Amino acid sequence: MIGQPISRVDGPLKVAGQATYSYEEWGVGQPLYGFIAGATIGHGRITRIETARAERSAGVRRVFTHRNMPPQHDPDMSVAWGHLRALPVLKRPEIQMYGEPVALVVASTLEQARAAAALVDVTYEIEEARYDLASNVGHTFTPERLQGLFEADSVIGDLDAAFAAAPVKVDQLYTTPYVFSQPMEPHSCVAVWKGDVVTIFVGSQTLAWARSRIVATLGLEPRQVKVISRYVGGGFGSKLGVHAEALLAIIAARELQQPVKISMTRQQMFHLVGHRPASQQHVRLGADRDGRLIAFGHDVIMQASYESDYIEQTASVGRGLYAAPNRKTTHRGVKLHVKAGEDVRAPGDAPGLLAIESAMDELAHTLDLDPIELRIKNEPAQHPELGVPFSDHRLVECMREGARRFGWERRHRVPASVRDGQWLIGYGMSAATRGHYQGATSVRVQLDPSANAIVHSDMTDIGTGTYTILTQVAAEALGLPLDRVRVELGDSDFPESAGSGGSWGAANSSTATVRACRALRDKLLASVQDDARSPLRGLDPSQAVLADGRIAIGDASEALTEIIARHFPAGVDAIGSLPMMFDEPSYKETSINSYAAHFAEVRVDAVTGEIRLHSMLGVFEAGRIFNPKTARSQLIGGMTFGVGNALLEEGLLDPRSGAFMNRDLAQYLVPVHADIPAIDAILLDGFDAKANELGAKGLGELGICGAGAAVANAVFNATGVRVRDFPITLEKLLPGLPRQTA
Ligand code: MOS
């Protein structure tokens, strides 16, 4: 079962509209609807807030502002990830960013709430502010740690001296813009109180985190908050944390003693949910004339906020990618009056590789070396900064396999030398890596009296395919057909998992599921050891094989249903668990990563500068693949994000107010089907024994890693123009295009 391209078990429910997303939870009694009114300034304070007109408006039940909100605690500061704290809302008259909630209007219908929210009249005193990263890069601070995991700086050898002495150099600044997760399902919450317990239906990647953060900020007991998130319409990091709509729905529902529903609008999501911070990345590569790196430097400055200490680990990805004896990586933040950054798909790795892998392409060009050859020359024998061995390290294989399948030999080394009519044709590639992580996770597997299996975990399926792969994993481990396994997720009453984030969900929850199934098997075998009625009595349990609903040892076998009927008439269950990676020796002694190589062909209109992606191929190594269909879907989705990073996506900030001006999907451009003509993802067969007993590593976010750089490098190969200010839009390309002859 594991490794089969099974179609999503929840697919029929989804296409029939029967998969219930949080806002669609109707079985809660008559709800009220909340609508958030946001600040129209970026920094200052509310001096007057007039709610009388809104309160008199049809259907309005209550208008909440900082003046009448019940008390909230400070967020849980022991949470290392600042952006994952539940920040109090409507607590103060001070405004730290555009769009920050200033009022919540609750009414009988959504339309009434929205109409009344427009009647809340706020007067502000505007204070001086910093909104622009480029003009404030002189005001940096050094973060303590990044994501609680990474050091802000790393230094090995003497980068400055080695770089100065290097015969061949790349010394460039790359900039990346504000980028947004923008999942299809907007951030929404339905809160329902029964007695002193609130149930919230909320789009969440990680239920246990959501609960503990809410509990801290609202001063509740853990037992008082139940979180349900059965289906999640995409997260990409934006649902790792808890946002204003959840806290507001819980508070409003308690105050009004009626269920309250709140959803953000698409426009509000640009301000109420964090983005990937804009960055300036200084990359220095120093090499000898053969292309061996002597110096590797990556210094990143990015937007930070007054709200949390979020800094992406953008320079961390280069710490393990290439060998170089002298290295230095740094992260600095610039506090702006802009919403705090949050994790956006492959935090750090995605924007970091955009810069590093562009720089490697520049170095290959300077050396007149093939870009793949350059990367192979700089393969590290062990992790170049941690000094520990890698587990499976198959980057070269990804590049070679990709080159063969993509037809890399078609590429001309001289840029702007291949043309088809008005189209300049170019090929680019990029390497990629991403750390593999493990988080504490438990799963319970139960066999009912008919020997049907039920898998329970508070793990989530954010569109990734968790329901499907856990069905496969449990079916294989218990020797049952798929239709005798049911997976139930997304309920905080179920055993706690590390949720969906950091690409760790599939490996975590599958490993825990297999362990639960083994514990279940052991219980069944123990029960028949001395059972005179069992043909398995006295046989060696270590030889047991579970298949076709039976346990067999040698030639003897017995149906699961019979064992259960005699020994566990009410059914039997077992829990499987795995700890956080810090408690696993293999994660300290080994650097465990997944790898990829991306290839892109682009065509650039020599007259207009229009860039069209022609084809794209990614080759990936992430250990064992549970389901190639759901895995491929993740990867081509990630690659599509990469195309957006290279060519389209860019949040544009109004320098007068800190508002994102292009705050909808008509103006914040993401690739659509017409932009992605031919894309494929190849998965190498793998089994990384250091990761877990299933041999599986993180995969979801690997697709975006490096994908944008492959496109950018193809644009350079097509045109000879190197754009280092992402995205590569045509006004940046046009001035450098080869002159047209009449
Ligand atoms: Mo991911 S950005 O850790 O959900």
Side-chain angles (χ1 to χ4, degrees):
M1 278 332 159
I2 295 180
Q4 295 302 308
I6 307 295
S7 291
R8 286 164 197 277
V9 296
D10 50 337
L13 284 179
K14 285 186 173 170
V15 296
Q18 289 168 357
T20 305
Y21 292 81
S22 60
Y23 196 77
E24 304 170 327
E25 192 64 46
W26 296 111
V28 298
Q30 181 60 45
L32 297 170
Y33 293 82
F35 195 87
I36 297 169
T40 53
I41 65 162
H43 184 217
R45 63 195 317 278
I46 299 170
T47 53
R48 193 185 65 93
I49 184 159
E50 189 50 68
T51 55
R53 277 184 73 206
E55 281 157 358
R56 284 197 306 271
S57 183
V60 170
R61 292 283 300 276
R62 184 82 59 91
V63 179
F64 294 90
T65 70
H66 69 277
R67 292 181 314 186
N68 65 350
M69 275 288 275
Q72 296 163 79
H73 293 237
D74 289 330
D76 181 357
M77 296 307 284
S78 72
V79 174
W81 296 281
H83 62 299
L84 299 182
R85 297 171 196 138
L87 301 175
V89 56
L90 300 180
K91 190 167 175 168
R92 301 172 304 255
E94 285 78 21
I95 300 298
Q96 298 279 28
M97 71 209 91
Y98 187 94
E100 184 175 341
V102 295
L104 173 76
V105 178
V106 183
S108 300
T109 70
L110 173 61
E111 292 75 12
Q112 288 170 335
R114 188 169 191 163
L119 302 176
V120 175
D121 187 16
V122 190
T123 309
Y124 302 96
E125 190 177 285
I126 296 176
E127 287 165 37
E128 214 178 300
R130 290 186 186 145
Y131 299 121
D132 179 49
L133 177 63
S135 54
N136 285 293
V137 289
H139 304 276
T140 60
F141 70 95
T142 304
E144 271 188 38
R145 279 170 88 74
L146 316 166
Q147 309 270 30
L149 283 176
F150 305 92
E151 300 295 336
D153 295 0
S154 72
V155 177
I156 290 185
D158 185 343
L159 176 84
D160 291 335
F163 184 71
V168 185
K169 299 182 221 271
V170 170
D171 184 353
Q172 294 294 354
L173 188 72
Y174 303 86
T175 60
T176 64
Y178 292 100
V179 167
F180 298 84
S181 290
Q182 291 296 331
M184 285 303 292
E185 181 203 18
H187 295 72
S188 311
C189 181
V190 183
V192 188
W193 285 86
K194 270 207 185 93
D196 68 347
V197 174
V198 66
T199 300
I200 61 168
F201 300 88
V202 64
S204 171
Q205 296 178 224
T206 311
L207 272 55
W209 293 357
R211 174 159 70 176
S212 71
R213 290 10 167 200
I214 289 168
V215 159
T217 303
L218 297 186
L220 300 168
E221 300 290 324
R223 64 155 190 93
Q224 291 182 275
V225 178
K226 183 170 156 61
V227 185
I228 307 277
S229 203
R230 292 198 187 96
Y231 297 97
V232 183
F236 316 117
S238 75
K239 291 170 184 166
L240 287 167
V242 171
H243 295 97
E245 93 289 357
L247 291 179
L248 288 172
I250 295 169
I251 292 170
R254 186 176 56 192
E255 296 300 307
L256 297 167
Q257 302 202 355
Q258 198 171 331
V260 170
K261 289 189 165 198
I262 303 177
S263 180
M264 293 183 196
T265 64
R266 180 65 57 188
Q267 291 200 332
Q268 286 176 331
M269 287 163 71
F270 281 83
H271 288 119
L272 296 177
V273 180
H275 46 260
R276 191 192 296 290
S279 78
Q280 296 198 352
Q281 304 184 42
H282 183 200
V283 180
R284 284 175 289 171
L285 303 177
D288 67 19
R289 296 200 188 281
D290 292 335
R292 250 172 297 271
L293 287 169
I294 302 162
F296 177 93
H298 191 187
D299 299 294
V300 182
I301 298 176
M302 76 177 71
Q303 176 254 334
S305 73
Y306 292 92
E307 184 186 42
S308 92
D309 46 12
Y310 185 80
I311 296 286
E312 256 186 294
Q313 64 271 36
T314 304
S316 73
V317 64
R319 293 173 182 169
L321 191 49
Y322 300 117
N326 301 284
R327 17 194 345 124
K328 182 161 158 262
T329 66
T330 64
H331 296 84
R332 298 292 179 266
V334 176
K335 283 190 197 259
L336 301 178
H337 291 96
V338 172
K339 174 81 180 162
E342 289 181 30
D343 290 331
V344 172
R345 201 162 198 170
D349 302 339
L353 285 165
L354 210 47
I356 295 173
E357 288 299 289
S358 293
M360 285 295 278
D361 200 65
E362 300 205 41
L363 183 61
H365 178 69
T366 306
L367 288 159
D368 195 26
L369 253 185
D370 180 85
I372 295 176
E373 284 309 306
L374 173 66
R375 286 165 174 87
I376 291 173
K377 276 176 192 277
N378 290 289
E379 269 281 288
Q382 59 173 11
H383 190 289
E385 301 205 4
L386 301 176
V388 297
F390 289 111
S391 62
D392 279 357
H393 184 265
R394 296 168 64 191
L395 175 59
V396 172
E397 203 181 328
C398 290
M399 292 190 289
R400 292 218 160 108
E401 180 68 13
R404 188 180 69 73
R405 287 175 181 261
F406 185 73
W408 182 242
E409 74 284 349
R410 290 175 294 168
R411 175 181 181 268
H412 285 238
R413 240 176 243 185
V414 180
S417 59
V418 182
R419 213 176 155 135
D420 176 9
Q422 76 190 60
W423 296 99
L424 299 162
I425 299 175
Y427 304 89
M429 64 80 58
S430 160
T433 182
R434 191 161 194 285
H436 166 75
Y437 307 108
Q438 178 178 303
T441 292
S442 288
V443 170
R444 181 174 58 235
V445 180
Q446 184 184 357
L447 281 169
D448 72 8
S450 312
N452 295 309
I454 307 148
V455 179
H456 280 135
S457 171
D458 82 350
M459 174 61 189
T460 48
D461 187 331
I462 59 173
T464 40
T466 318
Y467 282 109
T468 310
I469 61 164
L470 294 189
T471 303
Q472 292 174 259
V473 168
E476 174 155 322
L478 295 171
L480 293 172
L482 293 171
D483 62 5
R484 284 178 61 185
V485 178
R486 191 170 83 233
V487 178
E488 296 185 353
L489 305 173
D491 183 327
S492 61
D493 285 348
F494 296 156
E496 201 169 301
S497 75
S500 301
S503 300
W504 66 8
N508 283 339
S509 55
S510 297
T511 303
T513 299
V514 159
R515 290 182 186 180
C517 292
R518 288 198 187 132
L520 207 47
R521 181 190 68 173
D522 292 346
K523 278 190 183 178
L524 295 169
L525 285 165
S527 75
V528 295
Q529 258 310 297
D530 300 317
D531 178 356
R533 286 180 292 176
S534 174
L536 302 175
R537 176 181 143 174
L539 298 178
D540 178 3
S542 71
Q543 301 302 308
V545 174
L546 275 69
D548 306 323
R550 304 178 72 80
I551 302 185
I553 302 178
D555 293 336
S557 80
E558 185 170 25
L560 296 176
T561 47
E562 286 169 31
I563 302 174
I564 293 169
R566 286 201 308 281
H567 295 280
F568 307 99
V572 55
D573 62 28
I575 299 245
S577 295
L578 65 167
M580 186 69 183
M581 57 195 169
F582 304 126
D583 301 319
E584 295 269 25
S586 64
Y587 284 77
K588 288 193 203 84
E589 296 157 3
T590 324
S591 175
I592 308 171
N593 309 281
S594 52
Y595 295 92
H598 292 276
F599 295 82
E601 176 179 348
V602 302
R603 304 197 165 198
V604 180
D605 189 307
V607 178
T608 67
E610 177 190 357
I611 304 168
R612 303 297 303 181
L613 184 71
H614 188 262
S615 69
M616 205 171 175
L617 175 72
V619 177
F620 301 92
E621 191 281 313
R624 192 174 183 195
I625 304 303
F626 296 112
N627 181 328
K629 189 183 270 188
T630 56
R632 179 178 179 277
S633 168
Q634 282 272 295
L635 292 167
I636 62 176
M639 291 164 71
T640 304
F641 272 79
V643 175
N645 294 161
L647 302 179
L648 295 167
E649 293 189 51
E650 173 178 30
L652 296 165
L653 209 63
D654 184 337
R656 298 164 303 180
S657 66
F660 286 109
M661 297 180 287
N662 54 340
R663 53 180 182 270
D664 61 40
L665 294 179
Q667 300 175 86
Y668 177 84
L669 302 180
V670 296
V672 298
H673 281 285
D675 296 314
I676 310 290
I679 191 166
D680 204 3
I682 303 294
L683 292 145
L684 299 184
D685 275 339
F687 188 99
D688 194 324
K690 294 286 185 191
N692 46 59
E693 61 262 41
L694 290 171
K697 294 185 285 197
L699 168 109
E701 289 160 292
L702 189 58
I704 189 175
C705 294
V711 174
N713 295 339
V715 171
F716 174 75
N717 183 248
T719 62
V721 183
R722 179 69 66 177
V723 177
R724 302 182 185 89
D725 176 25
F726 292 99
I728 306 172
T729 43
L730 41 82
E731 79 281 7
K732 299 172 193 168
L733 205 53
L734 264 176
L737 285 183
R739 281 176 65 109
Q740 299 303 304
T741 45

